[in-house]
PDB file of all heavy atoms in Angstrom:
ATOM      1  N   GLY A1144     171.846 106.050  41.062  1.00 88.00           N
ATOM      2  CA  GLY A1144     173.254 106.386  40.903  1.00 88.00           C
ATOM      3  C   GLY A1144     173.789 107.167  42.087  1.00 88.00           C
ATOM      4  O   GLY A1144     173.044 107.615  42.964  1.00 88.00           O
ATOM      5  N   TRP A1145     175.119 107.383  42.084  1.00 89.00           N
ATOM      6  CA  TRP A1145     175.773 108.095  43.184  1.00 89.00           C
ATOM      7  C   TRP A1145     175.207 109.501  43.327  1.00 89.00           C
ATOM      8  O   TRP A1145     174.865 109.950  44.413  1.00 89.00           O
ATOM      9  CB  TRP A1145     177.284 108.142  42.934  1.00 89.00           C
ATOM     10  CG  TRP A1145     178.114 108.425  44.144  1.00 89.00           C
ATOM     11  CD1 TRP A1145     178.781 107.522  44.905  1.00 89.00           C
ATOM     12  CD2 TRP A1145     178.395 109.709  44.728  1.00 89.00           C
ATOM     13  NE1 TRP A1145     179.455 108.143  45.927  1.00 89.00           N
ATOM     14  CE2 TRP A1145     179.235 109.504  45.844  1.00 89.00           C
ATOM     15  CE3 TRP A1145     178.014 111.015  44.435  1.00 89.00           C
ATOM     16  CZ2 TRP A1145     179.699 110.538  46.647  1.00 89.00           C
ATOM     17  CZ3 TRP A1145     178.466 112.060  45.238  1.00 89.00           C
ATOM     18  CH2 TRP A1145     179.308 111.817  46.328  1.00 89.00           C
ATOM     19  N   GLY A1146     175.118 110.213  42.205  1.00 88.00           N
ATOM     20  CA  GLY A1146     174.634 111.585  42.249  1.00 88.00           C
ATOM     21  C   GLY A1146     173.176 111.683  42.665  1.00 88.00           C
ATOM     22  O   GLY A1146     172.795 112.585  43.418  1.00 88.00           O
ATOM     23  N   GLU A1147     172.365 110.752  42.185  1.00 92.00           N
ATOM     24  CA  GLU A1147     170.946 110.767  42.546  1.00 92.00           C
ATOM     25  C   GLU A1147     170.759 110.501  44.038  1.00 92.00           C
ATOM     26  O   GLU A1147     169.923 111.131  44.699  1.00 92.00           O
ATOM     27  CB  GLU A1147     170.198 109.723  41.712  1.00 92.00           C
ATOM     28  CG  GLU A1147     168.688 109.783  41.860  1.00 92.00           C
ATOM     29  CD  GLU A1147     167.975 108.810  40.953  1.00 92.00           C
ATOM     30  OE1 GLU A1147     168.669 108.002  40.282  1.00 92.00           O
ATOM     31  OE2 GLU A1147     166.742 108.840  40.911  1.00 92.00           O
ATOM     32  N   TRP A1148     171.543 109.564  44.572  1.00 94.00           N
ATOM     33  CA  TRP A1148     171.486 109.270  46.012  1.00 94.00           C
ATOM     34  C   TRP A1148     171.863 110.523  46.811  1.00 94.00           C
ATOM     35  O   TRP A1148     171.164 110.910  47.749  1.00 94.00           O
ATOM     36  CB  TRP A1148     172.441 108.128  46.343  1.00 94.00           C
ATOM     37  CG  TRP A1148     172.498 107.749  47.792  1.00 94.00           C
ATOM     38  CD1 TRP A1148     173.063 108.467  48.816  1.00 94.00           C
ATOM     39  CD2 TRP A1148     171.969 106.555  48.392  1.00 94.00           C
ATOM     40  NE1 TRP A1148     172.935 107.803  50.005  1.00 94.00           N
ATOM     41  CE2 TRP A1148     172.276 106.620  49.776  1.00 94.00           C
ATOM     42  CE3 TRP A1148     171.300 105.440  47.898  1.00 94.00           C
ATOM     43  CZ2 TRP A1148     171.924 105.609  50.664  1.00 94.00           C
ATOM     44  CZ3 TRP A1148     170.952 104.432  48.793  1.00 94.00           C
ATOM     45  CH2 TRP A1148     171.252 104.517  50.150  1.00 94.00           C
ATOM     46  N   PHE A1149     172.989 111.167  46.427  1.00 94.00           N
ATOM     47  CA  PHE A1149     173.448 112.334  47.173  1.00 94.00           C
ATOM     48  C   PHE A1149     172.441 113.474  47.076  1.00 94.00           C
ATOM     49  O   PHE A1149     172.185 114.174  48.064  1.00 94.00           O
ATOM     50  CB  PHE A1149     174.812 112.783  46.644  1.00 94.00           C
ATOM     51  CG  PHE A1149     175.379 113.957  47.389  1.00 94.00           C
ATOM     52  CD1 PHE A1149     175.906 113.801  48.665  1.00 94.00           C
ATOM     53  CD2 PHE A1149     175.378 115.219  46.832  1.00 94.00           C
ATOM     54  CE1 PHE A1149     176.425 114.878  49.367  1.00 94.00           C
ATOM     55  CE2 PHE A1149     175.884 116.306  47.519  1.00 94.00           C
ATOM     56  CZ  PHE A1149     176.413 116.132  48.794  1.00 94.00           C
ATOM     57  N   MET A1150     171.859 113.668  45.911  1.00 94.00           N
ATOM     58  CA  MET A1150     170.860 114.720  45.751  1.00 94.00           C
ATOM     59  C   MET A1150     169.661 114.478  46.675  1.00 94.00           C
ATOM     60  O   MET A1150     169.100 115.418  47.251  1.00 94.00           O
ATOM     61  CB  MET A1150     170.390 114.769  44.294  1.00 94.00           C
ATOM     62  CG  MET A1150     169.329 115.827  44.010  1.00 94.00           C
ATOM     63  SD  MET A1150     169.888 117.510  44.316  1.00 94.00           S
ATOM     64  CE  MET A1150     171.069 117.688  42.977  1.00 94.00           C
ATOM     65  N   ALA A1151     169.292 113.209  46.837  1.00 95.00           N
ATOM     66  CA  ALA A1151     168.148 112.877  47.685  1.00 95.00           C
ATOM     67  C   ALA A1151     168.451 113.060  49.165  1.00 95.00           C
ATOM     68  O   ALA A1151     167.590 113.459  49.950  1.00 95.00           O
ATOM     69  CB  ALA A1151     167.700 111.439  47.408  1.00 95.00           C
ATOM     70  N   THR A1152     169.690 112.780  49.571  1.00 96.00           N
ATOM     71  CA  THR A1152     170.016 112.777  51.000  1.00 96.00           C
ATOM     72  C   THR A1152     170.673 114.060  51.485  1.00 96.00           C
ATOM     73  O   THR A1152     170.729 114.299  52.697  1.00 96.00           O
ATOM     74  CB  THR A1152     170.964 111.604  51.321  1.00 96.00           C
ATOM     75  OG1 THR A1152     172.173 111.749  50.554  1.00 96.00           O
ATOM     76  CG2 THR A1152     170.316 110.267  51.013  1.00 96.00           C
ATOM     77  N   ALA A1153     171.166 114.894  50.563  1.00 95.00           N
ATOM     78  CA  ALA A1153     171.996 116.048  50.955  1.00 95.00           C
ATOM     79  C   ALA A1153     171.328 116.987  51.956  1.00 95.00           C
ATOM     80  O   ALA A1153     171.957 117.349  52.973  1.00 95.00           O
ATOM     81  CB  ALA A1153     172.441 116.810  49.713  1.00 95.00           C
ATOM     82  N   PRO A1154     170.071 117.427  51.754  1.00 96.00           N
ATOM     83  CA  PRO A1154     169.498 118.388  52.713  1.00 96.00           C
ATOM     84  C   PRO A1154     169.472 117.860  54.148  1.00 96.00           C
ATOM     85  O   PRO A1154     169.866 118.569  55.086  1.00 96.00           O
ATOM     86  CB  PRO A1154     168.079 118.611  52.177  1.00 96.00           C
ATOM     87  CG  PRO A1154     168.176 118.312  50.721  1.00 96.00           C
ATOM     88  CD  PRO A1154     169.156 117.183  50.621  1.00 96.00           C
ATOM     89  N   VAL A1155     169.030 116.622  54.310  1.00 96.00           N
ATOM     90  CA  VAL A1155     168.961 116.045  55.660  1.00 96.00           C
ATOM     91  C   VAL A1155     170.350 115.665  56.156  1.00 96.00           C
ATOM     92  O   VAL A1155     170.718 115.943  57.307  1.00 96.00           O
ATOM     93  CB  VAL A1155     168.035 114.815  55.676  1.00 96.00           C
ATOM     94  CG1 VAL A1155     168.044 114.175  57.062  1.00 96.00           C
ATOM     95  CG2 VAL A1155     166.623 115.214  55.302  1.00 96.00           C
ATOM     96  N   GLY A1156     171.140 115.017  55.292  1.00 95.00           N
ATOM     97  CA  GLY A1156     172.452 114.543  55.709  1.00 95.00           C
ATOM     98  C   GLY A1156     173.378 115.664  56.130  1.00 95.00           C
ATOM     99  O   GLY A1156     174.051 115.578  57.170  1.00 95.00           O
ATOM    100  N   ILE A1157     173.433 116.736  55.338  1.00 96.00           N
ATOM    101  CA  ILE A1157     174.303 117.862  55.680  1.00 96.00           C
ATOM    102  C   ILE A1157     173.822 118.547  56.959  1.00 96.00           C
ATOM    103  O   ILE A1157     174.625 118.924  57.825  1.00 96.00           O
ATOM    104  CB  ILE A1157     174.385 118.848  54.502  1.00 96.00           C
ATOM    105  CG1 ILE A1157     175.098 118.176  53.311  1.00 96.00           C
ATOM    106  CG2 ILE A1157     175.108 120.119  54.907  1.00 96.00           C
ATOM    107  CD1 ILE A1157     175.079 118.997  52.044  1.00 96.00           C
ATOM    108  N   LEU A1158     172.502 118.705  57.089  1.00 97.00           N
ATOM    109  CA  LEU A1158     171.956 119.298  58.314  1.00 97.00           C
ATOM    110  C   LEU A1158     172.331 118.474  59.538  1.00 97.00           C
ATOM    111  O   LEU A1158     172.781 119.013  60.561  1.00 97.00           O
ATOM    112  CB  LEU A1158     170.439 119.424  58.201  1.00 97.00           C
ATOM    113  CG  LEU A1158     169.706 119.894  59.472  1.00 97.00           C
ATOM    114  CD1 LEU A1158     170.139 121.310  59.846  1.00 97.00           C
ATOM    115  CD2 LEU A1158     168.192 119.815  59.295  1.00 97.00           C
TER     116      LEU A1158
END
Side-chain angles (χ1 to χ4, degrees):
W1145 199 100
E1147 188 176 6
W1148 179 288
F1149 182 74
M1150 179 62 69
T1152 60
V1155 176
I1157 294 173
L1158 174 63

